[in-house]
């Protein structure tokens, strides 16, 4: 009985957005998160700065890059590239505080690095952050976009196939970019990194967006846990 049980545990499929081996050093896992977030931000900023680009082409570039990055780094770090995923996993007891701190720091640093790299390759200078206050519609847009994205993420963590998550997230993100007035930032690391882009962003807007993004993620986590009330 004991051997059979251990065998069953070993053959459990790895989950989406959870690293395959939690004993890998935090440096290596955090590096994967930082590099992945930087590459995502290059796609976000670069697709907007590219001459002749459209909202559709930008949405495709961002969604495609995210799918590829999750597939590439997911086995090592879980492929979050988004502090909301990391924070919700910590709050639900699925991730330790030290790992959460390393991940969030790496994601924020990676996002800023990606924005600066994109500015460099497009020969643009980062703008000066403003102090504009976001409207209710913008806050609602980000809350909804984050709720939708995190709903997809946390539903996919319950899938028996680890390859479901990247494509589901990419497809939702592409649709949300095209159908929300804020173009579905839905990621605190990306929101913070917008401060280092040519157009820059309002520091007040960024802080407000981060708050509603995390709140939307928390509501999504509660919704998914209620819908899947029988657990994982």
């Amino acid at each position: 009985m004991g051997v059979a049980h251990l065998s069953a545990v070993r053959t459990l499929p790895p989950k989406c957005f959870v690293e395959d081996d939690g004993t890998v050093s935090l440096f290596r896992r955090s590096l994967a998160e930082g590099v992945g977030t930087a590459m995502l931000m290059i796609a976000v900023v670069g697709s907007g700065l590219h001459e002749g680009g459209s909202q559709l082409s930008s949405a495709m570039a961002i969604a495609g890059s995210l799918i590829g990055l999750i597939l590439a780094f997911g086995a090592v770090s879980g492929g979050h590239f988004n502090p909301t995923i990391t924070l919700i996993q910590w709050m639900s007891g699925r991730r330790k505080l030290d790992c959460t701190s390393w991940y969030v720091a790496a994601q924020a640093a990676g996002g800023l690095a990606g924005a600066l790299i994109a500015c460099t390759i497009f020969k643009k200078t980062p703008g000066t952050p403003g102090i504009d206050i976001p409207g209710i519609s913008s806050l609602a847009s980000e809350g909804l976009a984050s709720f939708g994205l995190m709903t997809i993420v946390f539903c996919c963590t319950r899938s028996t196939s680890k390859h479901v998550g990247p494509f589901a997230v990419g497809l939702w993100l592409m649709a949300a970019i095209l159908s929300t007035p804020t173009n579905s930032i839905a990621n605190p690391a990306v929101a913070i990194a917008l401060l280092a882009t040519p157009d820059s962003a309002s520091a007040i807007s960024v802080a407000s967006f981060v708050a509603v993004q995390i709140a939307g993620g928390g509501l999504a986590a509660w919704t998914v846990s209620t819908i899947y009330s029988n657990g994982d």
Side-chain angles (χ1 to χ4, degrees):
M1 179 67 73
V3 174
H5 174 71
L6 289 175
S7 178
V9 171
R10 293 192 189 102
T11 58
L12 286 176
K15 290 182 174 293
C16 300
F17 308 107
V18 178
E19 53 270 46
D20 289 356
D21 184 359
T23 65
V24 172
S25 72
L26 269 178
F27 173 76
R28 288 174 55 192
R29 285 184 280 156
S30 300
L31 181 61
E33 284 296 301
V35 171
T37 308
M39 294 173 71
L40 173 62
M41 197 63 199
I42 290 171
V44 170
V45 179
S47 62
L49 294 177
H50 200 284
E51 291 185 9
S54 65
Q55 187 180 24
L56 176 59
S57 63
S58 180
M60 293 175 65
I62 296 169
S65 68
L66 186 55
I67 292 171
L69 289 167
I70 297 172
L71 289 171
F73 294 114
V76 177
S77 68
H80 297 185
F81 319 126
N82 187 326
T84 301
I85 300 175
T86 307
L87 289 170
I88 297 298
Q89 285 189 353
W90 169 64
M91 288 188 284
S92 62
R94 299 185 179 185
R95 191 168 296 278
K96 294 182 179 180
L97 180 59
D98 59 344
C99 181
T100 301
S101 301
W102 276 68
Y103 270 33
V104 171
Q107 291 156 355
L112 287 168
L116 294 173
I117 291 171
C119 287
T120 300
I121 62 178
F122 280 94
K123 300 180 179 179
K124 300 289 185 179
T125 302
T128 302
I131 55 173
D132 297 336
I133 299 175
I136 296 298
S137 62
S138 295
L139 294 175
S141 172
E142 275 308 294
L144 175 62
S146 297
F147 173 82
L149 180 61
M150 292 302 110
T151 296
I152 299 296
V153 166
F154 295 124
C155 281
C156 287
T157 59
R158 299 166 186 271
S159 172
T160 57
S161 172
K162 191 167 185 176
H163 297 296
V164 168
F167 294 98
V169 166
L171 289 170
W172 162 262
L173 183 58
M174 182 167 62
I177 290 172
L178 296 172
S179 57
T180 58
T182 54
N183 297 326
S184 184
I185 300 170
N187 184 332
V190 172
I192 292 170
L194 291 177
L195 294 169
T197 60
D199 292 334
S200 190
S202 162
I204 298 175
S205 293
V206 168
S208 301
F209 281 177
V210 169
V212 297
Q213 287 162 357
I214 295 174
L219 180 59
W222 176 84
T223 301
V224 172
S225 66
T226 302
I227 293 172
Y228 288 91
S229 58
N230 60 334
D232 291 339

